[in-house]
């Protein structure tokens, strides 16, 4: 996953290339702010999923539960 300050398309090509090189099953981009329409279009075309706010909390939930044990 990639973390950026602005949700523009700048980091997405590198993320896409890395996901392909690793033959990743999923390609996730963590973004806690706005995502531009251009970035959304690029992500859609390249099967990149944006992870924002509540989605991030859901992903991290199991990690938090593991830490309590």
């Amino acid at each position: 996953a990639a973390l950026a300050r602005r949700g523009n398309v700048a980091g997405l090509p590198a993320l896409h290339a890395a996901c392909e090189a690793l033959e990743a099953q999923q390609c996730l981009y963590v973004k806690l702010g706005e995502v531009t329409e251009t970035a959304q279009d690029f992500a859609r075309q390249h099967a990149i999923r944006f992870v924002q706010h509540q989605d991030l909390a859901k992903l991290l939930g199991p990690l938090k539960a593991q830490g309590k044990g």
Side-chain angles (χ1 to χ4, degrees):
L3 180 63
R5 292 177 187 217
R6 293 189 185 107
N8 60 27
V9 74
L12 293 176
L15 175 63
H16 178 253
C19 289
E20 283 196 332
L22 295 170
E23 298 179 7
Q25 293 179 354
Q26 293 185 52
C27 193
L28 305 176
Y29 186 97
V30 176
K31 182 67 186 113
L32 300 179
E34 288 185 44
V35 177
T36 65
E37 190 172 324
T38 303
Q40 290 175 13
D41 289 343
F42 185 93
R44 230 181 335 270
Q45 293 169 8
H46 295 81
I48 297 171
R49 181 177 146 216
F50 285 104
V51 177
Q52 296 180 286
H53 307 288
Q54 291 181 342
D55 291 334
L56 182 59
K58 288 177 188 175
L59 285 173
L60 296 177
L63 294 176
K64 185 177 177 183
Q66 289 176 1
K68 290 185 178 182

